[in-house]
Coordinates of all heavy atoms in Angstrom, one line a residue:
Chain A
L252 N 51.9 -7.3 -22.5 CA 52.7 -7.4 -21.3 C 53.8 -8.4 -21.4 O 54.9 -8.3 -21.0 CB 51.8 -7.7 -20.1 CG 51.1 -6.6 -19.4 CD1 50.4 -7.1 -18.2 CD2 52.1 -5.5 -19.0
R253 N 53.4 -9.5 -22.0 CA 54.3 -10.7 -22.1 C 55.4 -10.4 -23.0 O 56.6 -10.7 -22.7 CB 53.4 -11.9 -22.6 CG 54.2 -13.1 -23.0 CD 54.7 -13.9 -21.7 NE 55.5 -15.0 -22.1 CZ 56.8 -14.9 -22.5 NH1 57.4 -13.8 -22.6 NH2 57.5 -16.0 -22.8
Y254 N 55.1 -9.9 -24.2 CA 56.2 -9.8 -25.2 C 56.7 -8.3 -25.3 O 57.7 -8.1 -26.0 CB 55.7 -10.2 -26.6 CG 55.3 -11.7 -26.6 CD1 54.0 -12.1 -26.5 CD2 56.3 -12.7 -26.6 CE1 53.6 -13.4 -26.5 CE2 56.0 -14.0 -26.6 CZ 54.6 -14.4 -26.5 OH 54.3 -15.7 -26.5
G255 N 56.1 -7.4 -24.7 CA 56.6 -6.0 -24.8 C 55.9 -5.2 -25.9 O 55.1 -5.8 -26.6
L256 N 56.2 -3.9 -25.9 CA 55.5 -3.1 -26.9 C 55.8 -3.4 -28.3 O 55.2 -2.8 -29.2 CB 55.8 -1.6 -26.6 CG 55.0 -1.0 -25.4 CD1 55.7 0.3 -25.0 CD2 53.6 -0.7 -25.8
G257 N 56.7 -4.4 -28.5 CA 57.0 -4.8 -29.9 C 55.9 -5.4 -30.6 O 55.9 -5.5 -31.8
L261 N 54.3 0.4 -33.0 CA 55.1 1.5 -32.6 C 56.6 1.0 -32.8 O 57.0 -0.1 -32.5 CB 54.9 1.8 -31.1 CG 53.5 2.2 -30.8 CD1 53.3 2.3 -29.3 CD2 53.2 3.6 -31.4
R262 N 57.4 2.0 -33.2 CA 58.9 1.8 -33.3 C 59.6 3.1 -32.9 O 58.9 4.1 -32.7 CB 59.2 1.3 -34.7 CG 58.8 -0.1 -35.1 CD 59.4 -1.1 -34.2 NE 58.9 -2.5 -34.5 CZ 57.9 -3.1 -33.9 NH1 57.3 -2.5 -32.9 NH2 57.6 -4.3 -34.2
D263 N 60.9 3.0 -33.0 CA 61.7 4.2 -32.5 C 61.2 5.5 -33.1 O 61.1 6.5 -32.3 CB 63.2 4.0 -32.8 CG 63.8 3.0 -31.9 OD1 63.1 2.5 -31.0 OD2 65.0 2.7 -32.0
M266 N 57.2 6.7 -31.8 CA 57.2 6.2 -30.4 C 55.8 6.3 -29.8 O 55.5 5.6 -28.8 CB 58.2 6.9 -29.5 CG 57.9 8.3 -29.1 SD 57.5 9.5 -30.4 CE 59.1 9.7 -31.2
W267 N 54.9 7.1 -30.4 CA 53.6 7.2 -29.9 C 52.6 7.0 -31.1 O 52.9 7.3 -32.2 CB 53.3 8.6 -29.3 CG 53.9 8.9 -28.0 CD1 54.5 7.9 -27.1 CD2 54.2 10.2 -27.4 NE1 55.0 8.6 -26.0 CE2 54.8 9.9 -26.2 CE3 53.9 11.5 -27.8 CZ2 55.2 11.0 -25.3 CZ3 54.3 12.5 -26.9 CH2 54.9 12.2 -25.7
D324 N 50.2 2.5 -22.6 CA 51.2 2.9 -23.5 C 52.6 2.7 -22.8 O 53.6 2.7 -23.5 CB 51.1 4.3 -23.9 CG 52.0 4.7 -25.0 OD1 51.9 4.2 -26.1 OD2 52.9 5.6 -24.7
G326 N 56.0 1.4 -21.3 CA 56.9 0.2 -21.5 C 57.1 -0.6 -20.3 O 57.3 -1.8 -20.3
R327 N 57.1 0.1 -19.1 CA 57.3 -0.6 -17.9 C 56.2 -0.3 -16.9 O 56.4 0.4 -15.9 CB 58.6 -0.2 -17.3 CG 59.8 -0.6 -18.1 CD 59.9 -2.1 -18.3 NE 60.1 -2.8 -17.0 CZ 61.2 -3.6 -16.8 NH1 62.1 -3.8 -17.7 NH2 61.3 -4.2 -15.6
R330 N 56.7 -0.4 -13.2 CA 57.5 0.7 -12.4 C 56.6 1.9 -12.2 O 57.2 3.0 -12.0 CB 58.7 1.0 -13.2 CG 59.7 -0.1 -13.3 CD 60.9 0.4 -14.0 NE 61.9 -0.7 -14.2 CZ 62.9 -0.6 -14.9 NH1 63.2 0.5 -15.6 NH2 63.8 -1.6 -15.0
N333 N 57.4 4.5 -9.6 CA 58.4 5.5 -9.8 C 57.9 6.9 -10.0 O 58.6 7.9 -9.7 CB 59.3 5.1 -11.0 CG 60.3 4.0 -10.7 OD1 60.2 3.4 -9.6 ND2 61.1 3.6 -11.6
L335 N 55.6 8.3 -8.4 CA 55.5 8.9 -7.1 C 56.8 9.0 -6.4 O 57.1 10.0 -5.8 CB 54.5 8.1 -6.3 CG 53.1 7.9 -6.9 CD1 52.2 7.1 -6.0 CD2 52.5 9.3 -7.1
L336 N 57.6 8.0 -6.5 CA 58.9 7.9 -5.8 C 59.9 8.9 -6.3 O 60.6 9.6 -5.6 CB 59.5 6.5 -5.8 CG 58.6 5.4 -5.2 CD1 59.3 4.1 -5.4 CD2 58.5 5.7 -3.7
H337 N 59.9 9.0 -7.6 CA 61.0 9.9 -8.2 C 60.3 11.0 -9.1 O 61.0 11.5 -10.0 CB 61.9 9.0 -9.1 CG 62.5 7.9 -8.3 ND1 63.4 8.0 -7.3 CD2 62.2 6.6 -8.4 CE1 63.7 6.8 -6.9 NE2 63.0 5.9 -7.5
G338 N 59.1 11.3 -8.9 CA 58.4 12.2 -9.8 C 59.1 13.5 -9.9 O 59.6 14.1 -8.9
R339 N 59.2 14.1 -11.1 CA 59.9 15.4 -11.3 C 58.8 16.4 -11.8 O 58.2 16.1 -12.9 CB 61.0 15.3 -12.3 CG 62.2 14.5 -11.8 CD 63.1 14.3 -12.9 NE 63.8 15.5 -13.3 CZ 64.0 15.8 -14.6 NH1 63.5 15.1 -15.5 NH2 64.7 16.9 -14.9
L340 N 58.7 17.5 -11.1 CA 57.7 18.4 -11.4 C 57.8 19.1 -12.8 O 56.9 19.6 -13.3 CB 57.7 19.5 -10.3 CG 56.4 20.3 -10.2 CD1 55.2 19.3 -10.0 CD2 56.5 21.3 -9.1
Q341 N 59.0 19.1 -13.3 CA 59.1 19.8 -14.6 C 58.7 19.0 -15.8 O 58.8 19.4 -16.9 CB 60.5 20.4 -14.8 CG 61.6 19.3 -15.1 CD 62.7 19.5 -14.1 OE1 62.5 19.4 -12.9 NE2 63.9 19.8 -14.6
S342 N 58.4 17.7 -15.6 CA 57.9 16.9 -16.7 C 56.4 17.1 -16.9 O 55.6 16.9 -16.0 CB 58.2 15.4 -16.4 OG 57.5 14.6 -17.4
I344 N 54.4 15.1 -17.9 CA 53.7 13.9 -17.5 C 53.2 14.1 -16.1 O 52.0 13.7 -15.8 CB 54.6 12.7 -17.7 CG1 54.8 12.4 -19.2 CG2 53.9 11.5 -17.0 CD1 55.4 11.1 -19.5
I348 N 49.3 14.1 -14.8 CA 48.8 13.3 -13.7 C 48.0 14.2 -12.7 O 46.9 13.9 -12.3 CB 49.9 12.6 -12.9 CG1 50.5 11.5 -13.9 CG2 49.4 11.9 -11.7 CD1 51.7 10.8 -13.3
M349 N 48.7 15.4 -12.4 CA 48.0 16.3 -11.4 C 46.7 16.8 -12.0 O 45.7 16.8 -11.3 CB 48.9 17.4 -11.1 CG 50.2 17.0 -10.3 SD 51.2 18.3 -9.7 CE 51.4 19.3 -11.1
I430 N 51.9 17.7 -23.9 CA 52.9 16.7 -24.0 C 53.4 16.7 -25.4 O 54.5 16.1 -25.7 CB 52.3 15.3 -23.7 CG1 51.1 14.9 -24.6 CG2 51.9 15.1 -22.2 CD1 50.8 13.4 -24.5
R436 N 59.6 19.4 -31.9 CA 59.2 18.8 -33.2 C 58.4 19.7 -34.0 O 57.4 20.2 -33.6 CB 58.5 17.5 -33.0 CG 59.4 16.3 -32.7 CD 58.6 15.1 -32.5 NE 59.5 14.1 -32.0 CZ 60.2 13.2 -32.7 NH1 59.9 13.1 -34.0 NH2 61.0 12.4 -32.2
H514 N 61.9 22.8 -41.9 CA 61.6 21.6 -41.1 C 60.1 21.3 -41.1 O 59.7 20.2 -40.7 CB 62.0 21.8 -39.6 CG 63.5 21.9 -39.5 ND1 64.3 20.9 -40.0 CD2 64.3 22.8 -39.0 CE1 65.6 21.2 -39.8 NE2 65.6 22.4 -39.1
F656 N 63.6 16.0 -37.5 CA 64.6 16.9 -38.0 C 65.6 16.1 -38.9 O 66.0 16.6 -40.0 CB 65.4 17.6 -36.9 CG 64.5 18.5 -36.2 CD1 64.0 18.3 -34.9 CD2 64.2 19.8 -36.7 CE1 63.2 19.2 -34.2 CE2 63.4 20.7 -36.1 CZ 62.9 20.4 -34.8
L657 N 66.1 15.0 -38.4 CA 67.0 14.2 -39.2 C 66.1 13.2 -39.9 O 65.3 12.5 -39.3 CB 68.0 13.4 -38.4 CG 69.3 14.2 -38.1 CD1 70.0 13.5 -37.0 CD2 70.2 14.2 -39.3
P658 N 66.2 13.0 -41.2 CA 65.3 12.1 -41.9 C 65.4 10.7 -41.4 O 66.4 10.3 -40.9 CB 65.7 12.2 -43.4 CG 67.1 12.7 -43.3 CD 67.2 13.6 -42.1
I659 N 64.3 9.9 -41.5 CA 64.4 8.5 -41.1 C 65.3 7.7 -42.1 O 64.9 7.6 -43.2 CB 63.0 7.9 -41.0 CG1 62.1 8.7 -40.1 CG2 63.0 6.5 -40.6 CD1 60.7 8.2 -40.0
R660 N 66.4 7.3 -41.6 CA 67.3 6.5 -42.4 C 67.8 5.3 -41.7 O 67.8 5.3 -40.5 CB 68.6 7.3 -42.8 CG 68.3 8.5 -43.6 CD 68.2 8.1 -45.1 NE 67.5 9.1 -45.8 CZ 68.0 10.3 -46.2 NH1 69.2 10.5 -45.8 NH2 67.3 11.1 -46.8
R661 N 68.2 4.3 -42.5 CA 68.7 3.1 -41.9 C 67.8 2.5 -40.8 O 68.3 1.8 -39.9 CB 70.1 3.3 -41.3 CG 71.1 3.5 -42.4 CD 72.5 3.8 -41.8 NE 73.0 2.7 -41.0 CZ 73.5 1.5 -41.5 NH1 73.4 1.3 -42.8 NH2 73.9 0.6 -40.7
A662 N 66.5 2.7 -41.0 CA 65.6 2.0 -40.1 C 65.4 0.6 -40.6 O 65.3 0.5 -41.8 CB 64.3 2.8 -40.0
P663 N 65.3 -0.4 -39.7 CA 65.0 -1.7 -40.2 C 63.7 -1.7 -41.0 O 62.9 -0.9 -40.8 CB 64.9 -2.5 -39.0 CG 65.6 -1.7 -37.9 CD 65.5 -0.3 -38.3
A667 N 59.8 2.4 -40.8 CA 59.7 3.8 -41.3 C 58.3 4.2 -41.6 O 58.1 5.3 -42.0 CB 60.6 4.0 -42.6
Chain B
P136 N 52.0 19.1 -5.6 CA 52.5 18.1 -6.6 C 52.4 16.7 -6.0 O 52.6 16.5 -4.8 CB 53.9 18.6 -6.8 CG 54.3 19.3 -5.6 CD 53.0 19.9 -5.1
L137 N 52.2 15.8 -6.9 CA 52.3 14.4 -6.5 C 53.8 14.1 -6.2 O 54.6 14.3 -7.1 CB 51.8 13.5 -7.6 CG 50.3 13.3 -7.6 CD1 50.0 12.5 -8.9 CD2 49.9 12.5 -6.4
L157 N 63.8 25.3 -11.5 CA 63.2 24.1 -12.1 C 64.2 23.1 -12.5 O 63.9 22.0 -12.8 CB 62.4 24.5 -13.4 CG 61.0 25.0 -13.1 CD1 60.3 25.5 -14.3 CD2 60.1 23.9 -12.4
V158 N 65.5 23.5 -12.6 CA 66.4 22.5 -13.0 C 67.6 22.5 -12.1 O 68.5 23.2 -12.1 CB 66.9 22.9 -14.4 CG1 65.9 22.5 -15.5 CG2 67.2 24.3 -14.6
Y184 N 66.9 16.9 -12.1 CA 66.8 16.9 -10.7 C 66.5 15.5 -10.3 O 65.6 14.8 -10.7 CB 65.6 17.8 -10.3 CG 65.2 17.5 -8.9 CD1 65.9 18.1 -7.8 CD2 64.2 16.6 -8.5 CE1 65.6 17.8 -6.5 CE2 63.9 16.3 -7.2 CZ 64.6 16.9 -6.3 OH 64.4 16.6 -5.0
R214 N 81.3 3.6 -41.2 CA 80.4 3.1 -40.1 C 81.2 2.2 -39.2 O 80.6 1.4 -38.5 CB 79.2 2.3 -40.7 CG 78.3 3.2 -41.5 CD 76.9 2.7 -41.6 NE 76.0 3.8 -42.0 CZ 75.7 4.0 -43.3 NH1 76.2 3.2 -44.3 NH2 74.9 5.0 -43.7
E231 N 71.1 2.0 -33.4 CA 72.4 2.5 -33.7 C 72.6 3.7 -32.9 O 72.0 4.8 -33.2 CB 72.6 2.8 -35.2 CG 72.6 1.6 -36.1 CD 72.7 1.9 -37.6 OE1 72.2 3.0 -38.0 OE2 73.2 1.1 -38.3
R234 N 74.7 6.9 -35.4 CA 74.2 6.5 -36.7 C 74.8 7.4 -37.7 O 74.9 8.6 -37.5 CB 72.7 6.6 -36.7 CG 72.1 6.4 -38.1 CD 70.6 6.2 -37.9 NE 70.2 4.9 -37.4 CZ 69.0 4.6 -37.0 NH1 68.0 5.4 -37.1 NH2 68.7 3.4 -36.5
Y236 N 74.4 9.2 -41.1 CA 73.4 9.6 -42.1 C 74.2 10.1 -43.4 O 75.3 10.6 -43.3 CB 72.6 10.7 -41.6 CG 71.6 10.4 -40.5 CD1 72.1 10.2 -39.2 CD2 70.3 10.3 -40.8 CE1 71.2 9.8 -38.2 CE2 69.4 9.9 -39.8 CZ 69.8 9.7 -38.5 OH 68.9 9.4 -37.5
E237 N 73.5 9.9 -44.5 CA 74.0 10.6 -45.7 C 73.1 11.8 -45.8 O 71.9 11.7 -46.0 CB 73.8 9.8 -47.0 CG 74.6 8.5 -47.0 CD 73.6 7.3 -47.0 OE1 73.2 6.9 -46.0 OE2 73.3 6.9 -48.1
V262 N 66.0 15.4 -21.0 CA 66.1 15.4 -19.5 C 65.0 16.2 -19.0 O 64.4 15.9 -17.9 CB 67.5 16.1 -19.1 CG1 67.5 16.3 -17.6 CG2 68.6 15.2 -19.6
V264 N 61.9 16.5 -20.0 CA 60.6 15.9 -20.0 C 60.5 14.6 -19.2 O 59.4 14.1 -18.9 CB 60.1 15.6 -21.4 CG1 60.0 16.9 -22.2 CG2 61.0 14.6 -22.1
C265 N 61.6 14.0 -18.9 CA 61.6 12.7 -18.2 C 60.9 12.8 -16.9 O 61.3 13.6 -16.0 CB 63.0 12.1 -18.0 SG 62.9 10.5 -17.2
P266 N 59.8 12.1 -16.6 CA 59.1 12.2 -15.4 C 59.8 11.7 -14.2 O 59.4 11.9 -13.0 CB 57.8 11.5 -15.7 CG 58.1 10.5 -16.7 CD 59.2 11.1 -17.5
V267 N 60.8 10.8 -14.3 CA 61.4 10.1 -13.2 C 62.9 10.3 -13.1 O 63.5 9.6 -12.3 CB 61.0 8.6 -13.2 CG1 59.5 8.4 -13.1 CG2 61.5 8.0 -14.5
S268 N 63.4 11.3 -13.8 CA 64.9 11.5 -14.0 C 65.6 10.2 -14.2 O 66.7 9.9 -13.7 CB 65.5 12.3 -12.8 OG 65.2 11.8 -11.6
T282 N 68.4 2.8 -16.8 CA 67.4 1.9 -17.3 C 66.7 1.1 -16.2 O 65.8 0.3 -16.4 CB 68.0 0.9 -18.3 OG1 69.0 0.2 -17.7 CG2 68.5 1.6 -19.5
S283 N 67.2 1.2 -15.0 CA 66.5 0.6 -13.9 C 65.4 1.4 -13.3 O 64.7 1.0 -12.4 CB 67.5 0.2 -12.8 OG 68.1 1.3 -12.3
R284 N 65.3 2.7 -13.8 CA 64.3 3.6 -13.3 C 63.3 3.9 -14.3 O 62.1 4.3 -14.1 CB 64.9 4.8 -12.7 CG 63.9 5.7 -12.1 CD 64.5 7.0 -11.6 NE 65.2 6.9 -10.3 CZ 65.7 7.9 -9.7 NH1 65.6 9.1 -10.1 NH2 66.4 7.7 -8.5
C285 N 63.7 3.9 -15.6 CA 62.9 4.3 -16.7 C 61.5 3.6 -16.7 O 61.5 2.4 -16.6 CB 63.6 4.1 -18.0 SG 62.7 4.3 -19.5
I286 N 60.5 4.4 -16.9 CA 59.1 3.7 -16.9 C 58.7 3.5 -18.4 O 57.6 3.0 -18.6 CB 58.1 4.6 -16.2 CG1 58.0 5.9 -16.9 CG2 58.4 4.7 -14.7 CD1 56.8 6.7 -16.4
G287 N 59.5 3.8 -19.3 CA 59.1 3.5 -20.7 C 58.0 4.3 -21.3 O 57.3 3.9 -22.2
C288 N 57.9 5.6 -20.9 CA 56.9 6.4 -21.4 C 57.2 7.0 -22.8 O 56.4 7.4 -23.6 CB 56.6 7.6 -20.5 SG 57.9 8.7 -20.3
R289 N 58.5 7.0 -23.1 CA 59.1 7.4 -24.4 C 58.9 8.9 -24.7 O 58.9 9.3 -25.9 CB 58.5 6.5 -25.6 CG 58.6 5.1 -25.3 CD 58.2 4.2 -26.4 NE 56.8 4.3 -26.8 CZ 55.8 3.9 -26.0 NH1 56.0 3.3 -24.8 NH2 54.6 4.0 -26.4
F290 N 58.6 9.6 -23.7 CA 58.5 11.1 -23.8 C 59.9 11.6 -24.3 O 59.9 12.5 -25.1 CB 58.1 11.7 -22.5 CG 57.5 13.1 -22.6 CD1 56.8 13.6 -21.6 CD2 57.4 13.8 -23.8 CE1 56.2 14.9 -21.6 CE2 56.8 15.0 -24.0 CZ 56.2 15.6 -22.8
I292 N 62.0 10.2 -26.2 CA 62.3 10.0 -27.6 C 61.5 11.0 -28.4 O 62.0 11.5 -29.4 CB 61.8 8.5 -28.0 CG1 62.4 7.5 -27.1 CG2 62.1 8.2 -29.4 CD1 62.1 6.1 -27.4
A293 N 60.3 11.3 -27.9 CA 59.5 12.3 -28.6 C 60.2 13.7 -28.5 O 60.1 14.5 -29.5 CB 58.1 12.4 -28.0
P296 N 65.4 16.1 -30.5 CA 65.3 16.5 -31.9 C 66.3 15.8 -32.8 O 66.2 15.9 -34.0 CB 65.7 18.0 -31.8 CG 66.0 18.3 -30.4 CD 66.1 17.0 -29.6
S301 N 66.7 5.3 -28.5 CA 66.1 4.0 -29.0 C 65.4 3.4 -27.8 O 65.7 3.6 -26.7 CB 67.2 3.1 -29.5 OG 68.0 3.7 -30.4
F302 N 64.4 2.6 -28.2 CA 63.6 1.9 -27.2 C 63.7 0.4 -27.3 O 63.8 -0.1 -28.5 CB 62.1 2.3 -27.4 CG 61.2 1.9 -26.2 CD1 61.3 2.6 -25.0 CD2 60.3 0.9 -26.4 CE1 60.5 2.3 -24.0 CE2 59.5 0.6 -25.3 CZ 59.6 1.3 -24.1
W304 N 61.8 -2.5 -27.6 CA 60.4 -2.8 -27.8 C 60.1 -4.2 -27.3 O 59.0 -4.5 -26.8 CB 60.1 -2.7 -29.2 CG 60.2 -1.2 -29.7 CD1 61.3 -0.7 -30.3 CD2 59.3 -0.2 -29.5 NE1 61.1 0.6 -30.5 CE2 59.9 1.0 -30.0 CE3 58.0 -0.1 -28.9 CZ2 59.2 2.2 -30.0 CZ3 57.4 1.2 -28.8 CH2 58.0 2.3 -29.4
V305 N 61.1 -5.1 -27.4 CA 61.0 -6.4 -26.8 C 62.3 -6.6 -25.9 O 63.2 -5.8 -26.0 CB 60.9 -7.5 -27.9 CG1 59.6 -7.4 -28.6 CG2 62.1 -7.4 -28.8
K328 N 63.9 -4.8 -21.3 CA 62.7 -4.6 -22.1 C 61.9 -3.4 -21.6 O 61.9 -3.1 -20.4 CB 61.8 -5.8 -21.9 CG 60.4 -5.7 -22.7 CD 59.7 -7.0 -22.5 CE 58.7 -7.0 -21.3 NZ 57.9 -8.2 -21.2
G329 N 61.4 -2.6 -22.5 CA 60.5 -1.5 -22.1 C 61.2 -0.3 -21.6 O 60.6 0.5 -20.9
P417 N 70.1 10.0 -51.5 CA 70.2 9.4 -50.2 C 69.4 8.1 -50.2 O 68.5 7.9 -51.0 CB 69.6 10.4 -49.3 CG 69.5 11.7 -50.0 CD 69.5 11.3 -51.5
Q418 N 69.8 7.2 -49.4 CA 69.1 5.9 -49.3 C 67.7 6.1 -48.9 O 67.3 6.9 -48.1 CB 69.7 5.0 -48.2 CG 71.1 4.5 -48.6 CD 71.6 3.5 -47.5 OE1 70.9 3.4 -46.5 NE2 72.7 3.0 -47.8
A420 N 64.2 5.4 -47.1 CA 64.1 5.3 -45.6 C 64.3 3.9 -45.1 O 64.9 3.7 -44.0 CB 62.7 5.8 -45.2
T421 N 63.7 2.9 -45.7 CA 63.7 1.6 -45.1 C 64.9 0.7 -45.5 O 65.1 -0.4 -45.0 CB 62.5 0.8 -45.4 OG1 62.3 0.9 -46.8 CG2 61.3 1.4 -44.7
R422 N 65.8 1.3 -46.3 CA 66.9 0.4 -46.7 C 68.0 0.4 -45.6 O 67.9 1.2 -44.7 CB 67.5 0.9 -48.0 CG 67.3 -0.2 -49.1 CD 67.8 0.3 -50.4 NE 69.2 0.6 -50.4 CZ 69.8 1.5 -51.2 NH1 69.1 2.0 -52.2 NH2 71.1 1.7 -51.2
H425 N 70.2 -4.2 -40.6 CA 70.9 -4.2 -39.4 C 71.5 -5.6 -39.1 O 70.9 -6.6 -39.6 CB 70.1 -3.7 -38.2 CG 69.9 -2.3 -38.3 ND1 70.8 -1.4 -37.8 CD2 68.9 -1.5 -38.9 CE1 70.4 -0.2 -38.0 NE2 69.3 -0.2 -38.7

Side-chain angles (χ1 to χ4, degrees):
Chain A
L252 274 186
R253 169 77 184 76
Y254 297 102
L256 282 164
L261 301 168
R262 290 297 178 262
D263 284 357
M266 79 301 294
W267 289 342
D324 189 65
R327 295 301 295 239
R330 295 182 181 170
N333 281 6
L335 301 179
L336 297 176
H337 308 289
R339 287 171 75 226
L340 200 56
Q341 72 233 59
S342 167
I344 289 192
I348 294 177
M349 292 188 311
I430 61 166
R436 281 179 187 264
H514 295 306
F656 289 107
L657 271 167
I659 300 180
R660 291 281 158 73
R661 287 179 62 74
Chain B
L137 275 173
L157 279 175
V158 283
Y184 166 80
R214 298 203 164 92
E231 289 179 332
R234 175 168 285 169
Y236 288 78
E237 299 115 271
V262 171
V264 300
C265 179
V267 295
S268 49
T282 57
S283 60
R284 184 184 282 187
C285 170
I286 60 168
C288 63
R289 310 187 294 292
F290 203 169
I292 307 185
S301 310
F302 192 71
W304 298 96
V305 292
K328 179 175 92 176
Q418 285 185 359
T421 48
R422 246 177 58 203
H425 286 277

